[in-house]
């Protein structure tokens, strides 16, 4: 089992920044590729960013590329999502997820463990 706990969400004005954190406990963190997903009301859960097991490769949805940065700190068993230049359309519940794989996939069904989510609201 892997337990994931997100934090760092909140209300921010358009153009602002937030940093989400996802603390992992349980099985060896380094065995898992990690992903961030988001889900807005009435929409499907969508891939936002992913990072490989070693942290050497990162992947982004087109909508966030250049604005968001995913990283991981193996010493702290934590993955981060730095979000800059936020837009109202970034408003959603953000989830982190762990996939027992080398590289993260964009399909949420591939992931083995999920956090409870953290709300991000961007006002215009």
């Amino acid at each position: 089992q892997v337990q994931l706990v997100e934090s760092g969400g909140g209300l921010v004005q358009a153009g602002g920044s937030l940093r989400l954190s996802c603390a992992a406990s349980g099985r060896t963190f380094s065995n898992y590729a990690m992903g961030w997903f988001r889900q807005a009301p009435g929409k499907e859960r969508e891939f936002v960013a992913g990072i490989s097991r070693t942290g050497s490769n990162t992947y982004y949805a087109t909508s966030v590329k250049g604005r968001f940065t995913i990283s991981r700190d193996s010493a702290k068993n934590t993955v981060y999502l730095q979000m800059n230049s936020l837009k109202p359309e970034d408003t959603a519940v953000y989830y982190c997820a762990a996939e027992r794989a080398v590289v993260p996939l964009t399909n949420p069904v591939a992931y083995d463990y999920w956090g409870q989510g953290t709300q991000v609201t961007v006002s215009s």
Side-chain angles (χ1 to χ4, degrees):
Q1 286 283 350
V2 174
Q3 292 78 41
L4 302 173
V5 179
E6 302 100 334
S7 61
L11 174 64
V12 64
Q13 289 188 332
S17 298
L18 283 174
R19 188 175 82 154
L20 305 183
S21 299
C22 174
S25 61
R27 294 187 181 272
T28 305
F29 180 63
S30 60
N31 287 344
Y32 294 84
M34 300 296 294
W36 283 98
F37 290 78
R38 66 187 181 188
Q39 189 166 17
K43 295 188 176 182
E44 293 187 350
R45 191 167 297 190
E46 65 173 356
F47 174 81
V48 175
I51 189 165
S52 63
R53 200 166 63 183
T54 63
S56 56
N57 297 96
T58 57
Y59 308 84
Y60 297 94
T62 302
S63 59
V64 307
K65 196 172 294 184
R67 299 189 297 122
F68 291 10
T69 303
I70 188 171
S71 61
R72 66 191 295 165
D73 185 336
S74 294
K76 296 182 178 180
N77 283 2
T78 301
V79 62
Y80 303 98
L81 186 67
Q82 177 67 44
M83 305 186 296
N84 299 329
S85 302
L86 282 160
K87 304 175 181 180
E89 51 264 43
D90 294 318
T91 295
V93 177
Y94 282 71
Y95 300 88
C96 74
E99 178 193 0
R100 190 172 176 85
V102 176
V103 295
L105 297 179
T106 60
N107 191 335
V109 300
Y111 288 75
D112 302 292
Y113 302 101
W114 290 85
Q116 83 289 349
T118 186
Q119 177 71 46
V120 171
T121 303
V122 184
S123 63
S124 57

